[in-house]
Amino acid sequence: MFSTRTITVLNKGNQISRQSIEKLDLLLLILETIDLNGIQSLYAFSNRLNLNEFFPNKVSIWKIRNNNPLRKSYVKNNIKLDEFDALIKITAEMSRYLYPYIREILKSKEDLKKNSVIWNDFNKRFIELINERFNIESMRVKKLINQAENDEIIIKSLFTLSLCISNQGYQKLKFFLFDY
């Protein structure tokens, strides 16, 4: 069944909700935390999926992601539904590719005594990226930076990305982002 927020998204001329934009950008930031080539990898997946009409260059991906109000460089550009959908496809495909690393990071959190280096390195890089790209004056961003509170957010995000490895990964991610 559709949630109120989803119906609003579909009724307002295909505008994407703020929550959906924030969720997707956070998932992409998690992927960039894992993949040190971040934006280059996103662009490579865009090319591999033949999404050049939406993302002809790396800057076009950056512009779409800057629709996230939590970012320092926030600019409201009214993302088109097909652009957002293309970014979901890239996220799902990149998650599939990075799944062994996602699994290893989740496993390291389960056994911090044995694998604390993996989790701590991941968390440190994640916080560095948040500090670099997000408005750290925002209360919601402060929660992401606070290590006592961000573990749950990170784990949920990693589990969400893990769901993308299935054949219906793109569809599952889309449902998650639009709260179907």
Side-chain angles (χ1 to χ4, degrees), residues 30 119 122-123 126 150-158:
I30 294 279
W119 179 260
F122 174 81
N123 207 342
F126 176 73
N150 77 357
D151 280 5
E152 183 180 341
I153 295 166
I154 291 172
I155 290 170
K156 283 181 179 179
S157 298
L158 288 167

Side-chain angles (χ1 to χ4, degrees), residues 89-136:
K89 288 176 184 173
I90 293 170
T91 305
E93 195 61 33
M94 195 166 170
S95 297
R96 233 181 248 124
Y97 176 74
L98 292 174
Y99 178 70
Y101 302 102
I102 293 169
R103 188 181 65 231
E104 196 61 36
I105 292 165
L106 284 168
K107 192 170 135 184
S108 74
K109 178 62 176 155
E110 286 178 14
D111 189 4
L112 282 177
K113 291 177 187 169
K114 190 174 177 183
N115 298 314
S116 65
V117 172
I118 295 169
W119 179 260
N120 292 337
D121 285 350
F122 174 81
N123 207 342
K124 181 182 174 202
R125 176 153 162 73
F126 176 73
I127 290 171
E128 286 172 0
L129 288 176
I130 293 286
N131 280 320
E132 179 183 311
R133 299 177 185 178
F134 283 30
N135 174 7
I136 58 174

Side-chain angles (χ1 to χ4, degrees), residues 117-178:
V117 172
I118 295 169
W119 179 260
N120 292 337
D121 285 350
F122 174 81
N123 207 342
K124 181 182 174 202
R125 176 153 162 73
F126 176 73
I127 290 171
E128 286 172 0
L129 288 176
I130 293 286
N131 280 320
E132 179 183 311
R133 299 177 185 178
F134 283 30
N135 174 7
I136 58 174
E137 299 304 315
S138 164
M139 290 305 293
R140 293 172 68 199
V141 174
K142 285 181 183 182
K143 188 175 181 180
L144 290 172
I145 294 171
N146 181 344
Q147 224 164 349
E149 295 184 47
N150 77 357
D151 280 5
E152 183 180 341
I153 295 166
I154 291 172
I155 290 170
K156 283 181 179 179
S157 298
L158 288 167
F159 277 131
T160 300
L161 293 169
S162 295
L163 293 175
C164 295
I165 67 164
S166 72
N167 290 338
Q168 284 78 34
Y170 155 75
Q171 206 61 31
K172 288 177 183 178
L173 184 57
K174 191 173 181 176
F175 287 158
F176 167 75
L177 292 170
F178 286 120

Side-chain angles (χ1 to χ4, degrees), residues 1-162:
M1 201 73 202
F2 288 105
S3 71
T4 309
R5 201 174 342 175
T6 304
I7 292 170
T8 305
V9 168
L10 298 175
N11 286 339
K12 288 187 175 180
N14 292 335
Q15 286 183 348
I16 311 301
S17 74
R18 173 185 174 147
Q19 292 85 3
S20 295
I21 293 167
E22 289 175 10
K23 284 183 200 177
L24 183 58
D25 194 35
L26 181 63
L27 293 175
L28 287 166
L29 192 74
I30 294 279
L31 292 173
E32 284 184 285
T33 303
I34 298 168
D35 185 340
L36 300 178
N37 293 320
I39 191 68
Q40 183 62 35
S41 294
L42 290 171
Y43 183 62
F45 277 102
S46 168
N47 288 332
R48 186 181 300 164
L49 296 169
N50 296 318
L51 298 171
N52 300 34
E53 71 179 276
F54 304 109
F55 307 116
N57 52 48
K58 291 180 248 179
V59 174
S60 57
I61 296 171
W62 175 78
K63 283 182 178 179
I64 296 293
R65 291 184 65 194
N66 278 331
N67 279 277
N68 179 355
L70 300 178
R71 283 191 168 257
K72 285 180 183 175
S73 53
Y74 168 64
V75 178
K76 186 172 169 105
N77 286 326
N78 290 329
I79 301 174
K80 295 179 184 98
L81 197 55
D82 52 355
E83 291 172 328
F84 193 73
D85 195 57
L87 210 49
I88 294 171
K89 288 176 184 173
I90 293 170
T91 305
E93 195 61 33
M94 195 166 170
S95 297
R96 233 181 248 124
Y97 176 74
L98 292 174
Y99 178 70
Y101 302 102
I102 293 169
R103 188 181 65 231
E104 196 61 36
I105 292 165
L106 284 168
K107 192 170 135 184
S108 74
K109 178 62 176 155
E110 286 178 14
D111 189 4
L112 282 177
K113 291 177 187 169
K114 190 174 177 183
N115 298 314
S116 65
V117 172
I118 295 169
W119 179 260
N120 292 337
D121 285 350
F122 174 81
N123 207 342
K124 181 182 174 202
R125 176 153 162 73
F126 176 73
I127 290 171
E128 286 172 0
L129 288 176
I130 293 286
N131 280 320
E132 179 183 311
R133 299 177 185 178
F134 283 30
N135 174 7
I136 58 174
E137 299 304 315
S138 164
M139 290 305 293
R140 293 172 68 199
V141 174
K142 285 181 183 182
K143 188 175 181 180
L144 290 172
I145 294 171
N146 181 344
Q147 224 164 349
E149 295 184 47
N150 77 357
D151 280 5
E152 183 180 341
I153 295 166
I154 291 172
I155 290 170
K156 283 181 179 179
S157 298
L158 288 167
F159 277 131
T160 300
L161 293 169
S162 295

